[in-house]
Amino acid sequence: MVFTSAMSAAGSLLAVVPAAAVLLLTVAAMPREAGAVAPLRLAVVRAALLSGAYAVLVVEVLGASHALTRPAFTVAWLLFLIAAATAAGLRWRRATHLGQPPVAAPVPVRAAPTVSAASRTVPVGAGVSGGGTDVAAPVAERDEPAPAPPRAGRGPAGLLAMAVDAWRTARPGERLLAGTVGGLVLVELLVALLAEPNNFDSQTYHLPKVEHWVAQGDLDFWPTAIHRQVTIPPGAEYLLLHLRLLTGGDHLYNLVQWAAGVVCLLVAARITAQLGGGRRAQLLTAFVLATTPMVVLQATSTQTDLICAAWVACAATLALDGLRRRTGWGTLLGLGAATGLTAVTKTSGLIAVGPLLVLWGLAQLRLARRDESAAAGEVRRSWPVGGLARTVGGSVLILVVAAVVVGPFLARVTAEFGHPLGPPRLRESIPMERHDPASIVVNALRIGHTAFDTPLAPLRRAGAEVIISGAEAIGVDPQDRAITFGRELFPEPAWYPDEDRVAFPLAGALAMIGAVIALARPRRIAPERAGSLRAYAVVVLTAVLLHTAMIKWQPWGNRLLLYAVVLAVPLAGLWLDALLRNRAGGRRTVATVAAVTVLATSALAGVLALSYGFPRRLVGAGSVFTTSDWDTRFLRRPQWADEFRWAATAVQDSGARRIGLVQQNDNWEYPWWLLLRQPDGSSPDLVALQSVLPERPPADPSSVDAIVCTGNRAACAKLVPAGWRLEFRGYVGYALPPGR
């Protein structure tokens, strides 16, 4: 019986505790400073970072204490809930005492005077929760309706009033954008709740990690044939571990990535506001991102790319806050938490976090020089000592906080393999091993070809032939293992809506155009934020270039770029808004029609991905409404579903207690943890009979009561003791001693 699909009532209630704590923390984290851009979204960022860091540290502390148990995690979250409620209460009392709403109200838009469109400005984000007051942007239309002042209130009633006002004052196009985004998010939530975890990598190493921790009660490494179970950063799995222990199963696992997707949408829209975008630009950003098939599909998955993208986006929005004001202690702690959470989730995200922190540091130095120059009444030509010391100190604090979050994991990896990045096979499999300009160019072209793939096969073939011929002309083998992951061969179709590899040609093209204009003519997009916009575009471009110079091409490399897509889409939203804003002239009309057509196509792509995407879909074969829980888990490999059950039933009927595992590096282990659970629901006693960890020897086959195998029959037969009976069906097998 699969116990993970049946949660107890107590487990369901416990799962509400973290969600309630995060909501209360959002109230407590509302910014107090005047003029904060998108204050509610900033509060969400703060709450997400604090909650994420707390979740990671709870796992590390309880793991070091050998106390990864349900009671310990329950106590930890109840304490966090009490702390969040106390902080929210204090925030509420302080706001009430000062006569201010705990939730900041947006600044209303005043009626625009009847003057030329080029000269009329309104505060960016006005009329929407989260609009800024210190930046001006051109009004969209001469006849733009002026929203009435919002009804500022306290708590949920105030938020509802703000939402109603925003909807009432929105133009039809804005309502369509918001409705589409909201509809996609809600349907994704439905799919995330209905579908069982069925991501391929999750069956191999994401979810087995969690089960090993639960079985052991700590974070110590274990003998395994699948090195990724112990070498890949575990930040996302730490979050899943909380749900596993609180609920007793995996039914809510998909909600982690869904929540990360929501955070990405909110933060991308806030970044747009920070760069000078108004309400429509923010909605366009959210729309383009929400309809990107990779985002749609991963939002219902147990992959880790959206989680990484969310932490990177949080770092980006906090760094942008530092472009116009000196950074306080709270934001420094937030930047450190975002950096640490990115590192402990997926180290590739640091490719973007690094340039963002450099941008933040340079901006802080510039602000320090400006402030001291203003105080001295003269123009300084050198960096002020005080400002330099403060920036350096802040940078050190960011690194210290990041080290606290990711340090324990890196320490375990270093102790086990002698290197913080793991064994050589990991360090050589994904990172580029050649860095000469020709190899980097070829790698970048191949990554771009896969990222912009479309259903037009002739276009794909023609593009691939040009890249292959060009690579050979400059002396680079396009299939060189030093720049290509594993044994994969370029090109590989990536247009189909599969969560692991689907391309993003529309979002990518829009972001590329937006980046080019932001670099070349930023004032066309954000007249009052041209410098910030250009600097941000440089950071995004730098991150993409670094990615192509550091990460090998692979067929599923598009999902590794998801963090860059989230960072780049605000540039698309800003450009689209500028395009729609300037409608004068025939050329502008054609451009506007083209933009609307692209947006409609993007919406269609998102809807189709949600409806027919793989391996979770609403309609057709494999629908979440018509497919059983067990079969849903095996949609990637339906032929294996009965084989696992067949072998597990035979082993359970034999009365075996200690069971040996025989598998290869990319085999599915997670089904064994589901099928072989003890009658009381506790973890089975599974031990590996192979190990790729030099200091972790495997168990002796003679010490187990039964053996289960996946993959290669010959490899299994070599480990089966003499006289045992070995049975095999295609992919799965088992072995029992005489008399069982």
Side-chain angles (χ1 to χ4, degrees), residues 323-344:
L323 298 189
R324 287 184 170 260
R325 66 176 62 191
R326 301 291 291 275
T327 299
W329 292 106
T331 301
L332 289 174
L333 294 175
L335 284 170
T339 303
L341 289 168
T342 301
V344 81

Side-chain angles (χ1 to χ4, degrees), residues 24-32 39 42-47 50 87-88 91:
L24 288 170
L25 199 58
T26 301
V27 174
M30 286 296 300
R32 298 176 182 177
L42 177 57
V44 171
V45 169
R46 293 172 173 177
L50 182 55
R91 177 76 173 87

Side-chain angles (χ1 to χ4, degrees), residues 496-588:
Y496 186 78
D498 183 298
E499 66 172 351
D500 285 336
R501 64 179 65 194
V502 63
F504 35 83
L506 294 176
L510 292 173
M512 180 181 296
I513 296 172
V516 170
I517 296 179
L519 290 171
R521 303 184 67 180
R523 293 189 182 278
R524 290 186 57 185
I525 298 179
E528 301 298 327
R529 290 289 180 93
S532 298
L533 178 60
R534 178 176 283 163
Y536 183 77
V538 168
V539 167
V540 172
L541 178 61
T542 300
V544 173
L545 293 177
L546 287 174
H547 185 100
T548 59
M550 298 173 67
I551 306 296
K552 294 178 179 177
W553 175 87
Q554 48 190 287
W556 42 89
N558 287 341
R559 65 181 181 82
L560 302 183
L561 273 169
L562 193 53
Y563 72 90
V565 174
V566 173
L567 291 184
V569 164
L571 301 175
L574 289 164
W575 171 68
L576 286 170
D577 181 61
L579 189 66
L580 295 173
R581 185 169 62 237
N582 301 314
R583 294 184 178 180
R587 292 184 179 180
R588 294 296 184 185

